[in-house]
Amino acid sequence: NAGVTQTPKFQVLKTGQSMTLQCAQDMNHEYMSWYRQDPGMGLRLIHYSVGAGITDQGEVPNGYNVSRSTTEDFPLRLLSAAPSQTSVYFCASSYSIFGSRAEQYFGPGTRLTVT
Amino acid sequence: QQQVKQSPQSLIVQKGGISIINCAYENTAFDYFPWYQQFPGKGPALLIAIRPDVSEKKEGRFTISFNKSAKQFSLHIMDSQPGDSATYFCAASGPDSSYKLIFGSGTRLLVRP
């Protein structure tokens, strides 16, 4: 298994540009989440999905869209990039909400800079 | 509003010593408390997790202590090794919401040889 994969690893955008951060998992996990990591702030939840076709907002959803058309893929779209969206973005997935299978597996991250 | 507060921000420990990182939470509905370890340039990886029905959980050199009445939990790393040098995050989530983690701000641990 490749686990959770994210592309690209690095990206530089100009203010106002749009882009999609890709996330895929091959573990047949129902639950997927997007977090952003900023210095001194830990990770904050952007959007999450509890299954194909079902998404919802997390703590900091403004400026981002998601969709989940398949179990495997959970792309994150930046609609009009702003410097405040400069961050490291992590995608995570988990099999269940119970016991040890509630463990979230994180991808390697995408480092995004908006100028 | 920071629902999970983590301290210290950074920690330096000698090899063989005990590293202790503390977290406090506000929401009494939280029922899942994982600790994640993150190395530079990598994604966080689950280290150990606890549910509030137990007061302590141990896995190898890593122990979580949980105090439900004080709304606090801590990570103890026994016999700390230079390879443990990383950033550690505590987190919490509500009932049936382990995919919606609320993270602490992180502790950067350096273990000196």
Side-chain angles (χ1 to χ4, degrees), chain A residues 97-114:
Chain A
I97 57 175
F98 302 110
S100 62
R101 295 196 286 183
E103 174 182 354
Q104 281 203 314
Y105 292 83
F106 281 78
T110 294
R111 184 174 293 271
L112 175 68
T113 302
V114 183

PDB file of all heavy atoms in Angstrom, chain A residues 97-114:
ATOM      1  N   ILE A  97     -14.197   4.915  13.286  1.00  0.00           N
ATOM      2  CA  ILE A  97     -14.173   5.823  14.431  1.00  0.00           C
ATOM      3  C   ILE A  97     -14.021   5.046  15.732  1.00  0.00           C
ATOM      4  O   ILE A  97     -14.066   5.617  16.807  1.00  0.00           O
ATOM      5  CB  ILE A  97     -15.455   6.686  14.487  1.00  0.00           C
ATOM      6  CG1 ILE A  97     -16.707   5.796  14.537  1.00  0.00           C
ATOM      7  CG2 ILE A  97     -15.506   7.649  13.318  1.00  0.00           C
ATOM      8  CD1 ILE A  97     -17.995   6.566  14.714  1.00  0.00           C
ATOM      9  N   PHE A  98     -13.814   3.741  15.614  1.00  0.00           N
ATOM     10  CA  PHE A  98     -13.789   2.898  16.804  1.00  0.00           C
ATOM     11  C   PHE A  98     -12.424   2.258  17.015  1.00  0.00           C
ATOM     12  O   PHE A  98     -11.787   1.807  16.076  1.00  0.00           O
ATOM     13  CB  PHE A  98     -14.849   1.805  16.695  1.00  0.00           C
ATOM     14  CG  PHE A  98     -16.237   2.349  16.517  1.00  0.00           C
ATOM     15  CD1 PHE A  98     -16.903   2.201  15.324  1.00  0.00           C
ATOM     16  CD2 PHE A  98     -16.871   3.028  17.548  1.00  0.00           C
ATOM     17  CE1 PHE A  98     -18.179   2.707  15.157  1.00  0.00           C
ATOM     18  CE2 PHE A  98     -18.136   3.540  17.398  1.00  0.00           C
ATOM     19  CZ  PHE A  98     -18.806   3.377  16.190  1.00  0.00           C
ATOM     20  N   GLY A  99     -12.034   2.195  18.279  1.00  0.00           N
ATOM     21  CA  GLY A  99     -10.842   1.469  18.661  1.00  0.00           C
ATOM     22  C   GLY A  99      -9.604   1.914  17.906  1.00  0.00           C
ATOM     23  O   GLY A  99      -9.440   3.071  17.556  1.00  0.00           O
ATOM     24  N   SER A 100      -8.728   0.944  17.690  1.00  0.00           N
ATOM     25  CA  SER A 100      -7.451   1.249  17.042  1.00  0.00           C
ATOM     26  C   SER A 100      -7.620   1.650  15.587  1.00  0.00           C
ATOM     27  O   SER A 100      -6.746   2.280  15.003  1.00  0.00           O
ATOM     28  CB  SER A 100      -6.515   0.041  17.143  1.00  0.00           C
ATOM     29  OG  SER A 100      -7.080  -1.071  16.466  1.00  0.00           O
ATOM     30  N   ARG A 101      -8.753   1.322  14.986  1.00  0.00           N
ATOM     31  CA  ARG A 101      -8.962   1.660  13.580  1.00  0.00           C
ATOM     32  C   ARG A 101      -9.394   3.101  13.399  1.00  0.00           C
ATOM     33  O   ARG A 101      -9.681   3.540  12.286  1.00  0.00           O
ATOM     34  CB  ARG A 101      -9.947   0.685  12.947  1.00  0.00           C
ATOM     35  CG  ARG A 101      -9.370  -0.726  12.901  1.00  0.00           C
ATOM     36  CD  ARG A 101     -10.095  -1.641  11.964  1.00  0.00           C
ATOM     37  NE  ARG A 101     -11.376  -2.057  12.486  1.00  0.00           N
ATOM     38  CZ  ARG A 101     -12.168  -2.925  11.853  1.00  0.00           C
ATOM     39  NH1 ARG A 101     -11.812  -3.432  10.693  1.00  0.00           N
ATOM     40  NH2 ARG A 101     -13.316  -3.275  12.375  1.00  0.00           N
ATOM     41  N   ALA A 102      -9.462   3.848  14.519  1.00  0.00           N
ATOM     42  CA  ALA A 102      -9.729   5.287  14.420  1.00  0.00           C
ATOM     43  C   ALA A 102      -8.464   6.075  14.101  1.00  0.00           C
ATOM     44  O   ALA A 102      -8.538   7.275  13.862  1.00  0.00           O
ATOM     45  CB  ALA A 102     -10.323   5.789  15.732  1.00  0.00           C
ATOM     46  N   GLU A 103      -7.325   5.402  14.086  1.00  0.00           N
ATOM     47  CA  GLU A 103      -6.075   6.094  13.815  1.00  0.00           C
ATOM     48  C   GLU A 103      -6.123   6.816  12.487  1.00  0.00           C
ATOM     49  O   GLU A 103      -6.472   6.238  11.460  1.00  0.00           O
ATOM     50  CB  GLU A 103      -4.906   5.102  13.804  1.00  0.00           C
ATOM     51  CG  GLU A 103      -3.582   5.736  13.381  1.00  0.00           C
ATOM     52  CD  GLU A 103      -2.446   4.744  13.321  1.00  0.00           C
ATOM     53  OE1 GLU A 103      -2.643   3.584  13.706  1.00  0.00           O
ATOM     54  OE2 GLU A 103      -1.352   5.145  12.866  1.00  0.00           O
ATOM     55  N   GLN A 104      -5.750   8.096  12.491  1.00  0.00           N
ATOM     56  CA  GLN A 104      -5.645   8.863  11.252  1.00  0.00           C
ATOM     57  C   GLN A 104      -4.236   8.725  10.703  1.00  0.00           C
ATOM     58  O   GLN A 104      -3.254   8.935  11.423  1.00  0.00           O
ATOM     59  CB  GLN A 104      -5.966  10.333  11.488  1.00  0.00           C
ATOM     60  CG  GLN A 104      -7.449  10.630  11.567  1.00  0.00           C
ATOM     61  CD  GLN A 104      -7.768  12.080  11.242  1.00  0.00           C
ATOM     62  OE1 GLN A 104      -7.128  12.994  11.728  1.00  0.00           O
ATOM     63  NE2 GLN A 104      -8.776  12.300  10.410  1.00  0.00           N
ATOM     64  N   TYR A 105      -4.152   8.372   9.419  1.00  0.00           N
ATOM     65  CA  TYR A 105      -2.888   8.295   8.719  1.00  0.00           C
ATOM     66  C   TYR A 105      -2.730   9.587   7.902  1.00  0.00           C
ATOM     67  O   TYR A 105      -3.624   9.953   7.145  1.00  0.00           O
ATOM     68  CB  TYR A 105      -2.866   7.090   7.780  1.00  0.00           C
ATOM     69  CG  TYR A 105      -2.860   5.771   8.501  1.00  0.00           C
ATOM     70  CD1 TYR A 105      -4.045   5.201   8.968  1.00  0.00           C
ATOM     71  CD2 TYR A 105      -1.670   5.086   8.720  1.00  0.00           C
ATOM     72  CE1 TYR A 105      -4.044   3.991   9.636  1.00  0.00           C
ATOM     73  CE2 TYR A 105      -1.659   3.864   9.369  1.00  0.00           C
ATOM     74  CZ  TYR A 105      -2.843   3.324   9.829  1.00  0.00           C
ATOM     75  OH  TYR A 105      -2.829   2.129  10.491  1.00  0.00           O
ATOM     76  N   PHE A 106      -1.585  10.223   8.071  1.00  0.00           N
ATOM     77  CA  PHE A 106      -1.351  11.500   7.396  1.00  0.00           C
ATOM     78  C   PHE A 106      -0.461  11.312   6.166  1.00  0.00           C
ATOM     79  O   PHE A 106       0.444  10.480   6.158  1.00  0.00           O
ATOM     80  CB  PHE A 106      -0.685  12.493   8.351  1.00  0.00           C
ATOM     81  CG  PHE A 106      -1.646  13.123   9.314  1.00  0.00           C
ATOM     82  CD1 PHE A 106      -2.085  12.434  10.431  1.00  0.00           C
ATOM     83  CD2 PHE A 106      -2.118  14.410   9.094  1.00  0.00           C
ATOM     84  CE1 PHE A 106      -2.983  13.017  11.319  1.00  0.00           C
ATOM     85  CE2 PHE A 106      -3.011  14.998   9.969  1.00  0.00           C
ATOM     86  CZ  PHE A 106      -3.448  14.304  11.085  1.00  0.00           C
ATOM     87  N   GLY A 107      -0.735  12.119   5.161  1.00  0.00           N
ATOM     88  CA  GLY A 107       0.125  12.170   4.002  1.00  0.00           C
ATOM     89  C   GLY A 107       1.377  12.990   4.294  1.00  0.00           C
ATOM     90  O   GLY A 107       1.522  13.545   5.379  1.00  0.00           O
ATOM     91  N   PRO A 108       2.288  13.104   3.314  1.00  0.00           N
ATOM     92  CA  PRO A 108       3.560  13.806   3.523  1.00  0.00           C
ATOM     93  C   PRO A 108       3.445  15.322   3.465  1.00  0.00           C
ATOM     94  O   PRO A 108       4.393  16.022   3.806  1.00  0.00           O
ATOM     95  CB  PRO A 108       4.434  13.291   2.391  1.00  0.00           C
ATOM     96  CG  PRO A 108       3.457  12.941   1.313  1.00  0.00           C
ATOM     97  CD  PRO A 108       2.224  12.446   2.011  1.00  0.00           C
ATOM     98  N   GLY A 109       2.297  15.833   3.041  1.00  0.00           N
ATOM     99  CA  GLY A 109       2.088  17.273   3.051  1.00  0.00           C
ATOM    100  C   GLY A 109       2.394  17.961   1.733  1.00  0.00           C
ATOM    101  O   GLY A 109       3.167  17.459   0.908  1.00  0.00           O
ATOM    102  N   THR A 110       1.752  19.113   1.548  1.00  0.00           N
ATOM    103  CA  THR A 110       2.037  20.026   0.429  1.00  0.00           C
ATOM    104  C   THR A 110       2.370  21.383   1.025  1.00  0.00           C
ATOM    105  O   THR A 110       1.576  21.942   1.780  1.00  0.00           O
ATOM    106  CB  THR A 110       0.823  20.172  -0.507  1.00  0.00           C
ATOM    107  OG1 THR A 110       0.564  18.930  -1.162  1.00  0.00           O
ATOM    108  CG2 THR A 110       1.079  21.252  -1.556  1.00  0.00           C
ATOM    109  N   ARG A 111       3.560  21.872   0.682  1.00  0.00           N
ATOM    110  CA  ARG A 111       3.966  23.191   1.176  1.00  0.00           C
ATOM    111  C   ARG A 111       3.567  24.222   0.133  1.00  0.00           C
ATOM    112  O   ARG A 111       4.073  24.212  -0.985  1.00  0.00           O
ATOM    113  CB  ARG A 111       5.467  23.232   1.431  1.00  0.00           C
ATOM    114  CG  ARG A 111       5.951  24.538   2.043  1.00  0.00           C
ATOM    115  CD  ARG A 111       7.422  24.466   2.419  1.00  0.00           C
ATOM    116  NE  ARG A 111       7.659  23.528   3.497  1.00  0.00           N
ATOM    117  CZ  ARG A 111       7.612  23.833   4.778  1.00  0.00           C
ATOM    118  NH1 ARG A 111       7.316  25.073   5.145  1.00  0.00           N
ATOM    119  NH2 ARG A 111       7.868  22.926   5.692  1.00  0.00           N
ATOM    120  N   LEU A 112       2.644  25.112   0.503  1.00  0.00           N
ATOM    121  CA  LEU A 112       2.107  26.114  -0.416  1.00  0.00           C
ATOM    122  C   LEU A 112       2.537  27.511   0.007  1.00  0.00           C
ATOM    123  O   LEU A 112       2.411  27.876   1.184  1.00  0.00           O
ATOM    124  CB  LEU A 112       0.579  26.043  -0.436  1.00  0.00           C
ATOM    125  CG  LEU A 112      -0.133  27.114  -1.273  1.00  0.00           C
ATOM    126  CD1 LEU A 112       0.147  26.900  -2.756  1.00  0.00           C
ATOM    127  CD2 LEU A 112      -1.626  27.106  -1.013  1.00  0.00           C
ATOM    128  N   THR A 113       3.051  28.254  -0.944  1.00  0.00           N
ATOM    129  CA  THR A 113       3.398  29.658  -0.722  1.00  0.00           C
ATOM    130  C   THR A 113       2.587  30.512  -1.681  1.00  0.00           C
ATOM    131  O   THR A 113       2.571  30.246  -2.889  1.00  0.00           O
ATOM    132  CB  THR A 113       4.899  29.903  -0.953  1.00  0.00           C
ATOM    133  OG1 THR A 113       5.657  29.067  -0.074  1.00  0.00           O
ATOM    134  CG2 THR A 113       5.256  31.361  -0.694  1.00  0.00           C
ATOM    135  N   VAL A 114       1.924  31.522  -1.134  1.00  0.00           N
ATOM    136  CA  VAL A 114       1.150  32.443  -1.959  1.00  0.00           C
ATOM    137  C   VAL A 114       1.799  33.826  -1.880  1.00  0.00           C
ATOM    138  O   VAL A 114       1.946  34.384  -0.785  1.00  0.00           O
ATOM    139  CB  VAL A 114      -0.320  32.527  -1.502  1.00  0.00           C
ATOM    140  CG1 VAL A 114      -1.113  33.456  -2.434  1.00  0.00           C
ATOM    141  CG2 VAL A 114      -0.951  31.144  -1.480  1.00  0.00           C
TER     142      VAL A 114
END
